[in-house]
């Protein structure tokens, strides 16, 4: 049977919008975004045309890693508001037919979490086994050679018991021991707490780091490592990441989720395509959407992108639903990675026309770029620990640019991270009133995606690939749509299938469509992308 939007789940035909809550909208003048701030911007999300909002962590946290170090899984950090604000947010989003996805961080807690406090008290503590403790290695140092993602060893000696604990990230983020059934139960309880409050799903943090080799074998050296790369990459994480036991633990999370109707489970795993596919799980009982981050690192040209789409489509298990990501709070802004505003317009078209659920990072729809952070304003622990290599993530986490007012309409006080110096022109208000802005291109593409089932759910068929041009069709219920993207700096033309007429629906070119509809060739301007109905 052919799928229609109605027979698919909301997370298949919908578009996800990621909000980094510290940076979206401040309501109380402390320079940090909060839940009432997000509530006050729901009209914007509706006018943009996205379907679901994913919030990076909002739980009580000492903020060593800005919310990814949680000391209470079942509450809201006062900087963001209170549970009442959260309940209002759920209600208001749902009233507008928008969904809410929360970040779920199962790999580690904060070192201030009462579980860890109890665990560290003594080797006989009731919760000792909730974390990963080991006596010093034979030479008296850490138990093995594993490295923390954020610099230094992945083991910290706790003087209280003379043992080391493991942390894949900061020492303030001790790893939970998921081999301990009590940990699994406790974390399933956390999921239920939020599902009962009405959340529509989770984005599960750092899932490939959940389980470690039971024998804690040393990781081998990475022979491809060079100075300038993250020190953590000097080892290959053979024994500390992507362990086979992870999959049944994901299936356990999925079971909890499936005891509620119409929820989604998304996994964060930076892995090669073949490994990533395993995270759909046996019988598709794992993640609905293991995040596909490959567009973040693929060279930005037609041949490489076409090859990626081909490889990814071919590797999908039967029945698995694809997804695409072009930006997030851990990576350089899209516009910096791919080379400027015209390419950002092509990227918008690509993200919203490839087959699968797109995730859009706040501000990318405006063309926000990485902001240079003066050293006194650096907040990210990664940059503080390993300065100067460009690892820091502050540049892509700067405040949302709402207007040309003071502090870009984000706050009445100086924001926690500096604003971009282009916020007087690159902002929601200015771009909303310019019909040719990137924001209005996003709106047009999102509208078209909503109205045209071929784009939302249709099959993907590669049409032609040249060194500069990629074109493909999306097909559903007899409706055919052609997408043609010219990544090059020169105009070009493509042969059109004989006997078809094209009716161009959207062009990325601010001057509007140029392509003629009935000729034998489709002409594209330099860095122009078009979507055309095939009739
Ligand atoms: C994930 C998050 C990142 C965080 C890390 C540790 O990769 O996206 O922001 O620092 O996990 O929780």
């Amino acid at each position: 049977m052919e799928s229609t939007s109605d027979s698919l789940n909301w997370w298949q035909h919908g578009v996800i919008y990621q909000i980094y809550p510290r940076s979206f909208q401040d309501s109380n003048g402390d320079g940090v975004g909060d839940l009432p701030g997000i509530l006050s911007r729901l009209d914007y999300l509706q006018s943009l045309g996205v379907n679901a909002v994913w919030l990076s962590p909002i739980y009580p946290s000492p903020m060593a890693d800005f919310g990814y170090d949680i000391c209470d899984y079942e509450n809201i950090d006062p900087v963001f508001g209170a549970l009442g604000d959260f309940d209002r947010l759920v209600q208001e989003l749902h009233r507008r037919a928008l969904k809410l996805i929360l970040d779920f961080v199962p790999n580690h807690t904060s070192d201030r979490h009462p579980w860890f406090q109890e665990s560290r008290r003594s080797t006989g503590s009731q919760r000792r086994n909730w974390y990963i403790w080991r006596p010093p290695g034979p030479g008296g140092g850490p138990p093995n050679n594993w490295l923390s993602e954020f610099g230094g060893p992945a083991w910290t000696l706790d003087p209280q018991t003379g043992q080391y604990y493991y942390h894949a990230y900061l020492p303030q983020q001790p790893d939970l021991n998921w081999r301990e059934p009590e940990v699994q139960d406790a974390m399933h309880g956390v999921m239920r707490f939020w599902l009962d409050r009405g959340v529509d799903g989770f984005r599960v943090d750092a899932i490939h780091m959940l389980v470690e080799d039971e024998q804690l074998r040393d990781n081998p050296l990475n022979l491809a490592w060079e100075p300038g790369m993250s020190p953590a990459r000097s080892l290959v994480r053979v024994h500390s990441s992507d362990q086979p036991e992870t999959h049944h633990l994901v299936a356990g999370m999925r079971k909890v989720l499936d005891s509620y109707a119409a929820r989604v489970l998304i996994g964060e795993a930076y892995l090669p395509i073949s490994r990533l596919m395993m995270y759909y799980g046996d019988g598709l009982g794992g993640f609905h959407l293991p995040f596909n981050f490959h567009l973040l690192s693929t060279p930005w040209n037609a041949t490489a992108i076409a090859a990626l789409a081909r490889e990814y489509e071919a590797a999908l298990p039967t029945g698995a639903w694809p997804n695409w990501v072009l930006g997030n709070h851990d990576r350089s802004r899209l516009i910096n990675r791919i080379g400027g505003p015209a390419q950002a317009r092509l990227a918008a078209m690509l993200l919203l026309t490839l087959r699968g659920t797109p995730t859009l990072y706040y501000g990318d729809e405006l063309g926000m770029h990485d902001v240079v952070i003066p050293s006194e304003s650096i907040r990210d622990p990664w940059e503080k620990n390993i300065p100067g290599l460009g690892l820091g993530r502050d540049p892509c986490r700067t405040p949302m640019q709402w207007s040309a007012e003071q502090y870009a309409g984000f706050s009445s006080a100086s924001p926690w991270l500096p604003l971009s110096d282009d916020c007087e022109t690159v902002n929601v208000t200015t771009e909303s009133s310019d019909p040719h802005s990137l924001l209005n291109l996003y709106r047009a593409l999102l509208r078209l995606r909503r109205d045209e089932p071929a784009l939302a759910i249709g099959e993907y068929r590669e049409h032609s690939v040249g060194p500069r041009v990629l074109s493909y069709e999306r097909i559903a219920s007899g409706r055919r749509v052609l997408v043609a993207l010219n990544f090059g700096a020169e105009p070009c033309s493509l042969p059109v299938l004989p006997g078809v007429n094209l009716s161009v629906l959207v062009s990325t070119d601010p001057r509007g469509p140029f392509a003629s509809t009935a000729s034998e060739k489709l002409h594209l301007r330099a860095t122009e992308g078009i979507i055309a109905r095939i009739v």
Side-chain angles (χ1 to χ4, degrees), residues 65 68 108 150 169 173 203 205 268 329-330 393 397:
D65 188 20
Y68 285 96
H108 47 269
F150 293 150
Y169 297 92
Q173 294 169 296
R203 170 269 191 191
D205 187 64
E268 185 210 28
H329 64 293
D330 293 327
R393 299 161 296 174
R397 295 175 175 180

Side-chain angles (χ1 to χ4, degrees), residues 47 53 60 114 133 150 185 326 339 359 406 458 469 482:
S47 82
V53 174
W133 292 99
F150 293 150
D185 289 348
L326 257 179
T359 301
Q406 202 191 19
V469 188
L482 177 80

Side-chain angles (χ1 to χ4, degrees), residues 280-361:
Y280 281 104
D282 268 352
L284 301 184
F287 290 112
H288 294 109
L289 304 173
F291 260 148
N292 167 13
F293 294 124
H294 288 271
L295 273 181
L296 292 166
S297 49
T298 296
W300 193 251
N301 64 62
T303 330
I305 294 170
L308 168 63
R310 221 178 293 138
E311 186 190 348
Y312 180 73
E313 284 276 348
L316 280 168
T318 308
W321 191 255
N323 76 90
W324 297 93
V325 176
L326 257 179
N328 63 32
H329 64 293
D330 293 327
R331 290 304 178 105
S332 214
R333 282 272 178 193
L334 161 75
I335 202 160
N336 292 76
R337 292 196 323 267
I338 66 174
Q343 295 293 336
R345 296 174 75 89
L346 282 181
M349 189 170 273
L350 179 75
L351 177 69
L352 296 172
T353 59
L354 283 172
R355 190 175 79 95
T357 308
T359 301
L360 171 59
Y361 183 50

Side-chain angles (χ1 to χ4, degrees), residues 10-11 16 101 200-203 257 262-266 288-289:
W10 63 266
W11 49 265
I16 301 170
I101 298 167
D200 300 289
F202 298 104
R203 170 269 191 191
L257 195 100
R263 315 291 165 112
V264 67
L265 198 64
I266 306 173
H288 294 109
L289 304 173

